Amino acid sequence: MNFIKRIAAIVVVTLAVAGTALPAHAADTVPWPGEPTTECQAEIDALELRVSSLEGTLAEERDEHADELRELDQRAWATQQAHDVEVNELSEAIGDAQVAAREAAQTIADQDLRIIRLQAKVKQLRDKLRASR
């Protein structure tokens, strides 16, 4: 009989402690272990919504930056093409100027040779003129 009284006392004390620790309405709101509380679940839902929103914003910004990068790449390519054309034109102009400079140098050399021949002829004619006097 003592044994039954002891068990009954333990049950009464356990129920009393459980009753004071948890009000009657709290038994419905206390989650099972591993389950979030209603407040926690609301915070989790709000955070998940925020994460989803941020992911959407990030995707939009990534797309915008990708568009900007494509546009910059196209402009850089067009600029490079324009510079290549200018470089080719300048190279051709330099080549033409070098040819013209060589031709001018040859013309000057030819004229110098002609002047030397004419000077020699003038000297020869002066010498003849002196000799004939």
Side-chain angles (χ1 to χ4, degrees), residues 113-129:
L113 185 60
R114 187 169 177 220
I115 289 171
I116 291 170
R117 287 183 185 151
L118 287 173
Q119 286 174 339
K121 196 169 194 172
V122 167
K123 184 179 179 200
Q124 191 180 36
L125 289 173
R126 278 189 188 154
D127 288 344
K128 269 188 180 179
L129 182 61

Side-chain angles (χ1 to χ4, degrees), residues 51-64:
V51 166
S52 176
S53 172
L54 288 173
E55 286 173 343
T57 302
L58 179 63
E60 289 174 10
E61 288 180 7
R62 186 176 44 240
D63 291 344
E64 287 175 15

